[in-house]
Amino acid sequence: MTRGDIAAIVLIEARIFSDPWPAVAFEEELDSDYRGVIVAEIDGLITGYAGCIVAAGECQLTNIGVAPEFRGKSIAKSLLNRILEIARKADCDYIFLDVRPSNTAAINLYNRFGFIELYRRPGYYRIPPEDAIVMVKTLRDQD
Ligand SMILES: CC(C)(COP(=O)(O)OP(=O)(O)OC[C@H]1O[C@@H](n2cnc3c(N)ncnc32)[C@H](O)[C@@H]1OP(=O)(O)O)[C@@H](O)C(=O)NCCC(=O)NCCS
């Protein structure tokens, strides 16, 4: 992600999340040494993005989203594969993420990649209120 990508990302973010990140949150990701966002583009148009934090031998997927009109084209799979590559290169042992139990599409995506449910954080999400499922995938001795 470059600074110039942020406006397009924020437009997608506002369409697809009930509690979207503002532009400033993405700007902070640019300024961080251990956090980052990658984008998917088709003919120069941003179609999706994914973010992660890499620290202390672990990776956290912070965000993944695909514009509704580009879904079902394996864009999320490509983004997640790239995040896994980044995590492995940084020598991470695990990758974690949080997901709403009602988010079947995302849970299917994560299950497909071998993530498993670790535990639930009651009342973690606010708008609308919902628990979070914490999922993890081991990055060592498999695949
Ligand atoms: C979840 C999301 C990122 C998937 O993006 P996508 O580019 O359409 O996904 P892909 O085409 O790469 O599909 C990957 C896998 O996800 C699952 N999946 C994707 N869309 C699905 C749907 N509507 N219903 C069920 N499973 C779905 C499937 O397992 C699929 O693999 P398959 O087609 O081989 O069965 C997209 O729906 C999205 O942006 N949702 C809103 C934001 C969001 O919820 N992000 C996750 C926050 S934790």
Side-chain angles (χ1 to χ4, degrees):
M1 177 181 78
T2 64
R3 209 164 289 277
D5 294 333
I6 293 178
I9 291 173
V10 166
L11 281 179
I12 299 175
E13 177 84 3
R15 288 171 70 200
I16 67 176
F17 285 109
S18 53
D19 193 6
W21 283 18
V24 66
F26 287 97
E27 278 157 18
E28 281 170 14
E29 300 296 280
L30 270 184
D31 298 334
S32 169
D33 290 339
Y34 61 96
R35 304 174 64 110
V37 177
I38 57 170
V39 296
E41 284 185 353
I42 296 178
D43 296 334
L45 183 71
I46 293 180
T47 56
Y49 52 94
C52 69
I53 304 173
V54 171
E58 292 178 357
C59 181
Q60 173 85 23
L61 182 75
T62 52
N63 211 341
I64 185 163
V66 173
E69 58 276 25
F70 289 101
R71 292 199 185 149
K73 298 179 188 297
S74 300
I75 292 173
K77 278 188 224 168
S78 303
L79 287 164
L80 197 45
N81 269 321
R82 181 75 185 111
I83 294 281
L84 294 177
E85 208 178 295
I86 290 166
R88 287 199 175 94
K89 272 195 187 144
D91 263 344
C92 293
D93 293 325
Y94 301 99
I95 176 165
F96 295 89
L97 60 84
D98 298 307
V99 61
R100 288 178 183 266
S102 62
N103 195 345
T104 312
I107 291 171
N108 284 349
L109 166 71
Y110 303 142
N111 282 333
R112 226 176 177 294
F113 275 76
F115 282 84
I116 54 163
E117 179 172 338
L118 201 53
Y119 57 90
R120 292 187 182 218
R121 300 184 207 266
Y124 178 78
Y125 291 108
R126 289 179 306 127
I127 311 173
E130 194 172 349
D131 295 348
I133 300 176
V134 177
M135 300 185 86
V136 66
K137 175 179 164 67
T138 305
L139 298 171
R140 297 236 180 264
D141 305 317
Q142 61 175 35
D143 301 350

